[in-house]
Amino acid sequence: ELDNVFAEELAKIQQQQQQAPTSHEIYVRFHRKVWQASHPDEPPPAVEQDGILVQQAALKLTCPITTLTYEDPVRNTHCDHSYSRAAIEDHMRHAVRAKRNKCPLLGCGKPLTAASLKPDHELAAAVRRAAAAGGRKRRKRDDGDGDDDDDVDDVEQV
C-alpha cells in the first residue's frame, strides 16, 4: 500500500514538473515583460494556467495612495503591492508614530518596512511607455501645420 501511495505522489510531482515551466511565476513575468516591450499599446494576451484560460489585467499606472500616475514606483516585497515612493514614505512616517506599519491597501495588512520597499523597474518602464505613447498620440493630433516642435515640447513635459 505504501508503494502505491509513493507511486501516485511521484506521478503527481512528475506531471507538475512537465506542466510547470509555462505556469511558473518567473516565466509568466518574463513572458509579460517581453509582450509589453514588443506591444506597448496592447494589453497582454490570455494565458493558460492549470487548464484555465486567464486574461491578464492591464497594468494599472496610478498609485493607490495618491491616485496619480506613479512617480518612482516601489514594490513592497511582503505583499507585492506598489506605491509612489514619496507617498509610501510619507505614509510610513505617520504609521510609525501610530505604530501601524502595515501595507495601506484595504484588506492587505502585510508588514511594511523601508527594507521591504524595492524599486519597481517593471512598473516604472510601463509608466515611461505610457507617457511615450501619450506623446505619440498628441503628435498625431497635430494642428495640421506640419510643425511638430510644440508637440515634442509636450512630450518632454510629461
Side-chain angles (χ1 to χ4, degrees):
E1 186 176 313
L2 184 58
D3 288 339
N4 289 341
V5 172
F6 178 76
E8 288 173 11
E9 291 300 316
L10 182 60
K12 287 180 188 176
I13 291 171
Q14 288 173 337
Q15 184 179 13
Q16 288 173 348
Q17 288 177 342
Q18 290 173 354
Q19 296 172 353
T22 58
S23 61
H24 193 277
E25 179 184 342
I26 293 172
Y27 174 84
V28 172
R29 281 187 185 173
F30 174 76
H31 186 267
R32 185 177 54 225
K33 286 179 183 180
V34 170
W35 176 266
Q36 289 172 342
S38 58
H39 303 88
D41 298 330
E42 299 176 33
V47 194
E48 187 172 330
Q49 293 180 348
D50 298 326
I52 300 171
L53 200 59
V54 178
Q55 177 66 44
Q56 295 179 0
L59 195 57
K60 189 171 180 186
L61 301 178
T62 55
C63 172
I65 298 171
T66 65
T67 67
L68 301 172
T69 302
Y70 283 106
E71 292 182 18
D72 190 15
V74 292
R75 181 175 303 273
N76 182 355
T77 57
H78 293 294
C79 62
D80 251 5
H81 289 130
S82 294
Y83 331 90
S84 291
R85 182 181 298 276
I88 196 63
E89 287 176 349
D90 185 54
H91 168 80
M92 288 173 61
R93 277 191 292 278
H94 295 296
V96 166
R97 281 187 239 134
K99 298 183 181 175
R100 293 185 314 235
N101 236 7
K102 296 180 180 176
C103 176
L105 270 66
L106 186 63
C108 181
K110 297 277 176 107
L112 176 66
T113 64
S116 70
L117 294 177
K118 303 294 179 197
D120 192 334
H121 300 294
E122 181 180 348
L123 191 52
V127 169
R128 285 192 301 273
R129 283 193 303 274
R136 285 195 299 274
K137 288 177 186 172
R138 271 190 287 257
R139 284 194 297 271
K140 287 180 184 176
R141 288 183 284 191
D142 184 291
D143 59 1
D145 66 0
D147 179 11
D148 288 341
D149 290 343
D150 295 333
D151 301 318
V152 171
D153 290 340
D154 288 343
V155 173
E156 292 172 354
Q157 293 173 5
V158 170

